[in-house]
Amino acid sequence: MKKKILILSTGGTIACSESENGLVPTATAEAFLAYLPDRMSNDFDISLLDLFQLDSSSVGPEHWAQIAEALRSRYDEFDGFLITHGTDTMAYTASALSFFLAGARKPIVITGAQLPADVPGSDGPANLKTAFQAFYTGFTGVMVAFCGQLIRGCRASKLRTHSFNAFESINVPALINFSSNDHGYQPPEPEPAPATAEELFGTEPFTVDSRVGLLKIYPGMPPQMITAMAQLGFRGLVIELFGIGNFPAEDTALMDALHALTDRDMVIVTKSQCTYEPSDSDIYAAGRQLAALRPISAKDMTTEACMTKLMWALAKSSNTEQVRQLFAQNIAGEISL
Ligand code: ASP
C-alpha cells in the first residue's frame, strides 16, 4: 500500500508571486505537486491542506499551535507530513513543533525556498524533492529539508539571507546530506508498536507562554536595557553572552541591574552569542559572577530552540523549579548533555 502523505501549506517565499508591494504568498499546496518527479508522486498517496498564507515573519506562537493541532488531529491517518513554510522563522516553527510533538514516530518535514517555486532557477522544486526523500529514509520527528540536507528541526538555524544553503545543522551533523550522500546519523530502528496521536501527544491544547525575553549583550549596553526586561513581566529570559559565556562584570551598574532580576521569579538561560560550540559561564570570572542568577546553561542549543523551549516549558508549569528542570532536559535532540 502507498504511504499517505499530507502537504500543509503556510505561505513563505516558496509560495510567493510578485505584487505591486513586493513578494506575497499566494500559491496553495496544490501548486507544489507539479514540481515532484513522477516517481515520487506515484510512490505516495498525497493529500493537501492549506492552513494559511503568510510571510513567516508574521508566524508566531498561535500559528505553531495551529500547525501542531493540524498535525495531531491527522497524525493517525497519515504516514508522513510535509509543511511548506517561509524561511525567515522556519527554525522557530521547527523548534516549537519539535517540543509540542516530541516523540513523534512519523516524519514531519518542513521546507521552503529562497526564491518563489515558479521562478526559473528557484531552489523550491529541489527542496520539495529533498523533503519527499525524507519519506524514504526511516527518519522520524520534526526535520527541516533544505538544499539537499535533512536537519533535525530543533537544530536548524537560518544563517544566510539569500544563498540556497540558507540553513545549517548547528552543533550536530545533518541527519543526511543527500548531495554528498553523507549520513550523520543512522535512522532509528522502527518502534515495535505504532502509537496513536493521543498516546504520544495527549489531548491538551498546544500552548506556549510567550512571556520570554531575549537579551543580546553588547559593549556599552546601558543597565536600563536589563531593568526594562525586568519590568516587562517576563517569566523567562534568554541572555546571549560574549564568547563562551561572559558578561561585562566590571560594569557595576550592569551587574546591579542583573542581580535585581533575582528578586523576580524568572527563569534565566544563558547562552553564547557564537553560533557554534557550547557555552560555559564557569570558565572566566567574567562569567562566574552570573552564578547568583542561577542561570541554566543553553549549552549547544540554538537561540530558536532556547526561546521556543523556554516558552513551551513555562506553559507546562507555574512552578519555576519544575520549569527549570524541564528546560534542562533533552526533549527532542536539541541539546548535547
Ligand atoms: N520572507 C519570507 C518568509 O519567511 C522568506 C522566505 O520564505 O524565504 O516567509
Side-chain angles (χ1 to χ4, degrees), residues 72-250:
R72 176 168 62 182
S73 61
R74 292 163 184 85
Y75 183 86
D76 298 335
E77 208 186 317
F78 290 91
D79 300 298
F81 301 87
L82 165 57
I83 304 160
T84 57
H85 193 288
T87 61
D88 288 348
T89 66
M90 185 184 287
Y92 284 94
T93 301
S95 290
L97 293 178
S98 302
F99 301 122
F100 280 154
L101 303 170
R105 296 180 186 179
K106 296 180 179 180
I108 300 169
V109 189
I110 312 182
T111 197
Q114 294 282 56
L115 291 173
D118 63 357
V119 164
S122 166
D123 53 335
N127 287 344
L128 289 163
K129 269 184 254 166
T130 301
F132 260 83
Q133 274 175 281
F135 301 131
Y136 295 95
T137 63
F139 283 111
T140 56
V142 179
M143 295 167 262
V144 166
F146 221 87
C147 199
Q149 294 197 97
L150 271 189
I151 300 169
R152 180 72 61 218
C154 49
R155 289 287 191 166
S157 244
K158 184 177 180 180
L159 296 187
R160 294 179 188 83
T161 57
H162 65 261
S163 299
F164 286 172
N165 58 343
F167 285 86
E168 282 188 20
S169 181
I170 306 301
N171 292 325
V172 289
L175 297 170
I176 290 190
N177 187 337
F178 289 112
S179 351
S180 63
N181 205 18
D182 221 8
H183 295 234
Y185 289 113
Q186 285 303 314
E189 289 297 318
E191 297 282 346
T196 65
E198 192 175 329
E199 286 161 351
L200 290 168
F201 317 125
T203 53
E204 290 287 304
F206 293 109
T207 171
V208 293
D209 187 335
S210 52
R211 287 176 289 172
V212 174
L214 175 61
L215 182 69
K216 182 170 183 163
I217 305 299
Y218 57 92
M221 188 176 79
Q224 290 87 336
M225 287 283 289
I226 297 174
T227 319
M229 290 279 172
Q231 286 162 354
L232 284 169
F234 289 140
R235 292 182 63 210
L237 182 63
V238 176
I239 309 181
E240 289 197 345
L241 300 165
F242 298 131
I244 199 161
N246 299 319
F247 186 82
E250 300 290 324

Side-chain angles (χ1 to χ4, degrees), residues 27-107:
T28 57
E30 192 173 5
F32 302 130
L33 294 177
Y35 303 110
L36 294 179
D38 288 348
R39 164 84 204 272
M40 282 180 172
S41 314
N42 292 334
D43 280 355
F44 300 102
D45 176 1
I46 303 171
S47 301
L48 310 170
L49 178 66
D50 296 308
L51 279 182
F52 46 85
Q53 282 183 321
L54 285 175
D55 186 296
S56 73
S57 320
S58 300
V59 171
E62 65 284 13
H63 303 100
W64 306 336
Q66 186 185 345
I67 299 170
E69 194 47 65
L71 292 167
R72 176 168 62 182
S73 61
R74 292 163 184 85
Y75 183 86
D76 298 335
E77 208 186 317
F78 290 91
D79 300 298
F81 301 87
L82 165 57
I83 304 160
T84 57
H85 193 288
T87 61
D88 288 348
T89 66
M90 185 184 287
Y92 284 94
T93 301
S95 290
L97 293 178
S98 302
F99 301 122
F100 280 154
L101 303 170
R105 296 180 186 179
K106 296 180 179 180

